[in-house]
C-alpha cells in the first residue's frame, strides 16, 4: 500500500454562536510544517475537523443552488416544494453510483473519508505542535472522537466500511484498502468509543468550548451504532439469540448514559430548538444565530421572498396519535383514510383536536398566527386555488420556529442542528430493551419521559392505549410512532425506514397533501406514488472506488 503524508487542510467551515467558542474558520492549503509549528493554526486545524461532522455545513441535508431541504421530504413525512431539487433520486429510486447524493458537489463517501484522512494527519503531527502537553492530550481525544463519528455517519448510509486505521492514504481514493464486514465495522467503531470514553470529559470548563467532544457524545453515539447493528437491515441470517444479544448491547449502552443523570429533557419542547445550550443537548452542530429555519419553513409572504422547502404531508398529520396514544387513522384504501373505530373522540373536520401536543408544536395549519413585522398575521394556506402536485399543500413546518419571535424585525435566533439529544437516548433504550426482553416498566418509563415533556397522556405500564396487555410487537409499534412524532423534521425517519427495512412502506408510500376550501375546511388529495427499490436501503459506493480496488471493495447490493 502506498503511503504518503498528505497536505493539510482543504477549506472547511464551522459555524457557531457569536457569543464565543469555535470561530468560523477558513484555512487554505498549508503544509504540515506550517500548520503544526503554529499554535493558532494547530487549533484551527482541529476546528476544521469539527466542521466536517456533517457532510454539509447547512441546516438541512439536501442543498441545491443555495436552497436547502430536509431528508424528511423524501419520506412519508413530507414533500419537496423546491422545483430545482434532485428529489426523484430518492422518491423514485433513480439515484446512480457516483451521483451527488444530497447536495451539489457532495458525496458523503468521499467527503467523510477525506475528513478521516485529515483526522489521521492531525493525529500524526500534533506532537510537533507548540501547544501545551495538556492541550495536545485533549486534542488527540477530540480528533479520535471525530474520526469515530465520521465512521458512524458513513455507516448509516453505506453499511460495512473500509477501515483505514491510522494510515494516511495517498490521493482521494481508498486504493489498496479492503472493505470490512458489518461485524468488523461495528466492532471497530464501538472499540474506538470504548477506549475513548474513560478518557473524555463530561463537559468543558470554558463555555466557549461548548460543542467540543464529551464523554456523553461518545456514549450516545455508541448506543446509536449498536441500535443500528441490532436492527433488521443488518440481521438477515443472524440467529435469534445473537439478535437478542445485539439488542441487549444497545439497551445497555443507552442505559449506561441514562443512569449517569448528566442529561435531562428540556422542559419546553418549542423553546428547546431555539436555545443554544440546554440539559438535553448532547451533540449540537453549532451554527451562527440566524433566520435560515424561518426562511426555509415559511411561505414567501412571511419569509421575505424565499420559498419554503419541505411541507408536511397529510400522511404526517394522520400519523399523530391522539393525546392518549391511540391512532385515529390506520392507513389508506383507494385514496381514502381508514379511520380507527376504537377512537371515538376524533373529528376529521377538526383533526387537530385531542391530538398529541407535538402536532401543534411542529405544524402550522390554515388560520394559525405568526408574529411578522410587528403584528400577528394569519397564515392563509389558500395561496393556490387548486390542489396539485405543484400547488397547495395545506401545512408548513413550525418546528424550529418560535411564533412569538419576529425574525423580520428582531433578527436571527439560535438554531443549532441536533445531531444527538437526550430524547433519542431514551428512545434508543426503550426500543432496544423491548426488543431484547419484551415490555417492562423500565421501557414504559423511558417513553413516558418523552411524552410527559409535551404533556401527552402517560402510557400505562401494563396495558396499551386500547386496554390490552402490551406485547413486544405492540410496544415496538408505539415506540416507532414516538420516534416519528418526536423527531419529525430532524431527518431520523429517512434512516429509521432503512434500518427497520420498511423502505417500501415509508419511502415508497403514496403521499397526500391538504387542500383548504373557501370555508377553511381541509380535505386530502393525492400527490404522488413513490417508488422504493431494495437497492436504496444502502447508498451506492462511487464506482471509481470499486473499480480501482481489484475486488477488495465491493459495491452495495443492487448497484
Amino acid at each position: 500500500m502506498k503511503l504518503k503524508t498528505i497536505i493539510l487542510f482543504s477549506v472547511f467551515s464551522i459555524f457557531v454562536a457569536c457569543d464565543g467558542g469555535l470561530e468560523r474558520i477558513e484555512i487554505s492549503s498549508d503544509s504540515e510544517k506550517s500548520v503544526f509549528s503554529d499554535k493558532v493554526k494547530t487549533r484551527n486545524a482541529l476546528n476544521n475537523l469539527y466542521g466536517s461532522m456533517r457532510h454539509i455545513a447547512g441546516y438541512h441535508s439536501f442543498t441545491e443552488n443555495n436552497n436547502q431541504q430536509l431528508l424528511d421530504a423524501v419520506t412519508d413525512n413530507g414533500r419537496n416544494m423546491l422545483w430545482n431539487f434532485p428529489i426523484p433520486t430518492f422518491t423514485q429510486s433513480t439515484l446512480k453510483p457516483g451521483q451527488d447524493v444530497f447536495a451539489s458537489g457532495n458525496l458523503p463517501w468521499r467527503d467523510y473519508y477525506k475528513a478521516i484522512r485529515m483526522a489521521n494527519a492531525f493525529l500524526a503531527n500534533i506532537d510537533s505542535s507548540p501547544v501545551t502537553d495538556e492541550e495536545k492530550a485533549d486534542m488527540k481525544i477530540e480528533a479520535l472522537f471525530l474520526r469515530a463519528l465520521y465512521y458512524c455517519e458513513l455507516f448509516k448510509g453505506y453499511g460495512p466500511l473500509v477501515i483505514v486505521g491510522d494510515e494516511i492514504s495517498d490521493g482521494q481514493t481508498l486504493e489498496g484498502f479492503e472493505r470490512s464486514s458489518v461485524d468488523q465495522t461495528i466492532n471497530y467503531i464501538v472499540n474506538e468509543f470504548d477506549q475513548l470514553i474513560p478518557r473524555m470529559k463530561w463537559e468543558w470548563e470554558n463555555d466557549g468550548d461548548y460543542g467540543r467532544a464529551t464523554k456523553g457524545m461518545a456514549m450516545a453515539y455508541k448506543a446509536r451504532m449498536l441500535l443500528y447493528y441490532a436492527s433488521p437491515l443488518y440481521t438477515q441470517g443472524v440467529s435469534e439469540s445473537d439478535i437478542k444479544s445485539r439488542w441487549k448491547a444497545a439497551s445497555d449502552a443507552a442505559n449506561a448514559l441514562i443512569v449517569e443523570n448528566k442529561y435531562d429533557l428540556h422542559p419546553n419542547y418549542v423553546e428547546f430548538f431555539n436555545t443554544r445550550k440546554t440539559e438535553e443537548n448532547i451533540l449540537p452542530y453549532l451554527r451562527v444565530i440566524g433566520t435560515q429555519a424561518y426562511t426555509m419553513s415559511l411561505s414567501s409572504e412571511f419569509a421575505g421572498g424565499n420559498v419554503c422547502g419541505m411541507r408536511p404531508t397529510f400522511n404526517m398529520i394522520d400519523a399523530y396519535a391522539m393525546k392518549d396514544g391511540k391512532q385515529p387513522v390506520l392507513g389508506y384504501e383507494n385514496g381514502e383514510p381508514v379511520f380507527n373505530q376504537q377512537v371515538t373522540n376524533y373529528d376529521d373536520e377538526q383533526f387537530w383536536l385531542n391530538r398529541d401536543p407535538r402536532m401543534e408544536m411542529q405544524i402550522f395549519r390554515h388560520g394559525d398566527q405568526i408574529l411578522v413585522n410587528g403584528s400577528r398575521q394569519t397564515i392563509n394556506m389558500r395561496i393556490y386555488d387548486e390542489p396539485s402536485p405543484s400547488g397547495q399543500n395545506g401545512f408548513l413546518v413550525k418546528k424550529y420556529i418560535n411564533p412569538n419571535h419576529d425574525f423580520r424585525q428582531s433578527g436571527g435566533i439560535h438554531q443549532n442542528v441536533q445531531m444527538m439529544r437526550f430524547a433519542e437516548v431514551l428512545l434508543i433504550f426503550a426500543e432496544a430493551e423491548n426488543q431484547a426482553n419484551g415490555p417492562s416498566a423500565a421501557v414504559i418509563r423511558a417513553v413516558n419521559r418523552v411524552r410527559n415533556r409535551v404533556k401527552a397522556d402517560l402510557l400505562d405500564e401494563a396495558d396499551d392505549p386500547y386496554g390490552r396487555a402490551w406485547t413486544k410487537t405492540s410496544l415496538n409499534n408505539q415506540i416507532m410512532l414516538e420516534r416519528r412524532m418526536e423527531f419529525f423534521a430532524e431527518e431520523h425517519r429517512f434512516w429509521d425506514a432503512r434500518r427497520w427495512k420498511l423502505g417500501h412502506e415509508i419511502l415508497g408510500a403514496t403521499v397526500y397533501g391538504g387542500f383548504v376550501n373557501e370555508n377553511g375546511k381541509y380535505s386530502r388529495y393525492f400527490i404522488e406514488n413513490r417508488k422504493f427499490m431494495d437497492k436504496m436501503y444502502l447508498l451506492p459506493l462511487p464506482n471509481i472506488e470499486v473499480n480501482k480496488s481489484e475486488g477488495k471493495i465491493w459495491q452495495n447490493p443492487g448497484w
Side-chain angles (χ1 to χ4, degrees):
M1 179 184 307
K2 222 158 80 170
L3 297 178
K4 180 180 177 182
T5 303
I6 65 170
I7 299 298
L8 301 181
F9 284 92
S10 299
V11 176
F12 276 93
S13 298
I14 185 163
F15 302 88
V16 298
C18 60
D19 56 346
L22 307 178
E23 298 176 355
R24 177 174 176 174
I25 299 164
E26 294 185 0
I27 303 178
S28 59
S29 295
D30 277 304
S31 69
E32 292 159 350
K33 183 177 180 180
S34 172
V35 169
F36 291 103
S37 63
D38 182 273
K39 292 181 181 179
V40 173
K41 287 185 177 180
T42 299
R43 293 169 184 144
N44 287 347
L46 179 63
N47 290 348
N48 278 340
L49 296 182
Y50 278 98
S52 303
M53 288 193 301
R54 280 172 55 82
H55 55 85
I56 64 168
Y59 201 82
H60 306 328
S61 286
F62 279 117
T63 62
E64 184 78 18
N65 298 333
N66 297 319
N67 292 318
Q68 297 192 30
Q69 184 59 281
L70 286 161
L71 295 183
D72 284 56
V74 297
T75 75
D76 51 359
N77 283 357
R79 63 174 297 206
N80 172 55
M81 295 297 287
L82 297 171
W83 64 270
N84 59 348
F85 270 71
I87 295 295
T89 57
F90 287 97
T91 59
Q92 299 301 319
S93 294
T94 61
L95 184 67
K96 297 178 181 178
Q99 183 177 354
D100 293 345
V101 178
F102 301 124
S104 296
N106 164 268
L107 192 60
W109 180 274
R110 177 195 62 217
D111 298 342
Y112 277 124
Y113 274 110
K114 186 175 184 179
I116 289 168
R117 284 194 292 270
M118 290 199 299
N120 283 346
F122 184 92
L123 290 164
N125 289 277
I126 181 60
D127 282 334
S128 65
S129 173
V131 300
T132 66
D133 288 345
E134 182 181 3
E135 189 172 2
K136 284 179 188 176
D138 284 340
M139 286 180 160
K140 289 177 182 178
I141 291 172
E142 292 175 81
L144 286 166
F145 167 77
L146 291 167
R147 186 178 69 180
L149 182 146
Y150 304 149
Y151 280 114
C152 291
E153 295 300 310
L154 280 166
F155 184 79
K156 285 197 305 184
Y158 298 96
L161 301 173
V162 177
I163 306 299
V164 302
D166 297 328
E167 297 185 15
I168 308 168
S169 61
D170 180 18
Q172 298 301 309
T173 68
L174 296 169
E175 189 174 358
F177 290 94
E178 186 172 355
R179 192 175 184 188
S180 299
S181 67
V182 171
D183 292 350
Q184 291 169 332
T185 299
I186 290 295
N187 288 340
Y188 174 81
I189 293 171
V190 170
N191 185 60
E192 289 288 288
F193 286 137
D194 282 342
Q195 292 187 52
L196 283 170
I197 287 168
R199 302 161 57 194
M200 299 181 81
K201 309 172 190 285
W202 279 112
E203 59 183 341
W204 295 75
E205 293 182 5
N206 185 347
D207 187 65
D209 289 322
Y210 176 62
R212 291 195 181 277
T214 65
K215 189 188 298 281
M217 294 179 188
M219 294 177 74
Y221 262 82
K222 173 185 172 181
R224 180 192 280 176
M225 286 300 98
L226 288 170
L227 181 81
Y228 273 64
Y229 184 48
S231 296
L233 182 60
Y234 296 109
T235 55
Q236 184 174 355
V238 178
S239 69
E240 289 188 14
S241 61
D242 285 346
I243 293 173
K244 181 176 180 178
S245 295
R246 292 186 187 186
W247 285 119
K248 185 64 166 58
S251 169
D252 289 346
N255 193 52
L257 180 54
I258 292 169
V259 298
E260 290 285 351
N261 292 318
K262 298 292 185 180
Y263 299 95
D264 201 353
L265 298 176
H266 185 61
N268 190 308
Y269 185 85
V270 174
E271 291 180 0
F272 168 74
F273 295 99
N274 297 136
T275 305
R276 176 178 180 266
K277 183 179 180 181
T278 79
E279 61 272 57
E280 186 169 352
N281 298 110
I282 296 179
L283 177 52
Y285 185 85
L286 300 177
R287 306 185 69 252
V288 293
I289 290 175
T291 62
Q292 188 179 62
Y294 284 75
T295 58
M296 291 309 300
S297 296
L298 299 176
S299 52
S300 57
E301 71 272 28
F302 301 121
N306 297 74
V307 178
C308 62
M310 188 193 85
R311 300 273 191 98
T313 59
F314 224 122
N315 304 58
M316 183 64 217
I317 303 303
D318 288 334
Y320 286 100
M322 305 301 288
K323 194 169 181 287
D324 63 6
K326 295 176 183 175
Q327 287 190 268
V329 180
L330 301 176
Y332 306 93
E333 287 184 4
N334 301 318
E336 297 296 328
V338 177
F339 298 114
N340 188 346
Q341 299 305 311
Q342 297 181 75
V343 179
T344 58
N345 60 340
Y346 176 71
D347 180 355
D348 199 48
E349 290 192 359
Q350 300 182 85
F351 55 81
W352 55 88
L353 297 180
N354 305 310
R355 300 298 283 278
D356 187 290
R358 282 168 287 199
M359 176 189 283
E360 288 292 314
M361 297 172 180
Q362 296 172 345
I363 307 289
F364 278 121
R365 66 177 188 275
H366 182 74
D368 283 348
Q369 291 191 328
I370 186 170
L371 188 62
V372 178
N373 287 330
S375 65
R376 292 205 169 274
Q377 299 188 27
T378 299
I379 293 176
N380 178 13
M381 295 307 304
R382 283 184 55 77
I383 298 170
Y384 305 99
D385 291 329
E386 298 294 333
S388 70
S390 60
Q392 186 191 131
N393 194 70
F395 308 102
L396 296 171
V397 177
K398 183 191 273 187
K399 195 171 189 176
Y400 307 116
I401 291 176
N402 183 340
N404 298 315
H405 176 79
D406 190 345
F407 84 99
R408 297 287 293 278
Q409 288 194 349
S410 303
I413 196 168
H414 289 293
Q415 44 185 220
N416 297 326
V417 180
Q418 300 301 321
M419 294 185 69
M420 178 67 72
R421 59 187 180 95
F422 187 58
E424 182 180 351
V425 178
L426 289 170
L427 293 182
I428 287 173
F429 168 77
E431 180 179 351
E433 179 62 21
N434 177 60
Q435 291 283 15
N437 296 311
S440 68
V443 173
I444 299 296
R445 283 196 296 268
V447 176
N448 277 342
R449 286 183 70 174
V450 177
R451 293 178 61 82
N452 186 54
R453 188 251 299 268
V454 296
K455 302 299 186 287
D457 292 352
L458 300 185
L459 301 176
D460 185 80
E461 292 186 0
D463 296 333
D464 68 17
Y466 305 98
R468 300 172 300 214
W470 287 111
T471 65
K472 181 186 290 189
T473 298
S474 65
L475 187 49
N476 185 60
N477 289 339
Q478 182 71 43
I479 293 166
M480 292 167 73
L481 178 59
E482 291 294 332
R483 287 186 65 93
R484 185 176 188 181
M485 294 187 293
E486 177 69 18
F487 302 127
F488 166 71
E490 293 183 54
E491 303 193 327
H492 281 270
R493 193 158 176 82
F494 180 89
W495 303 112
D496 282 345
R498 287 168 164 77
R499 69 177 180 87
W500 289 330
K501 290 210 74 174
L502 293 176
H504 294 278
E505 294 85 347
I506 295 173
L507 306 174
T510 298
V511 292
Y512 301 91
F515 174 66
V516 182
N517 69 15
E518 62 276 9
N519 297 317
K521 292 187 176 181
Y522 274 88
S523 61
R524 298 166 185 80
Y525 75 94
F526 169 83
I527 295 177
E528 66 176 336
N529 289 316
R530 293 180 177 171
K531 179 181 180 181
F532 181 83
M533 300 175 68
D534 284 347
K535 67 178 183 178
M536 298 293 289
Y537 277 118
L538 294 173
L539 299 175
L541 278 62
N543 276 334
I544 187 173
E545 202 79 88
V546 176
N547 295 338
K548 284 188 173 184
S549 73
E550 298 180 348
K552 293 181 178 180
I553 300 175
W554 67 92
Q555 184 58 275
N556 275 329
W559 297 102

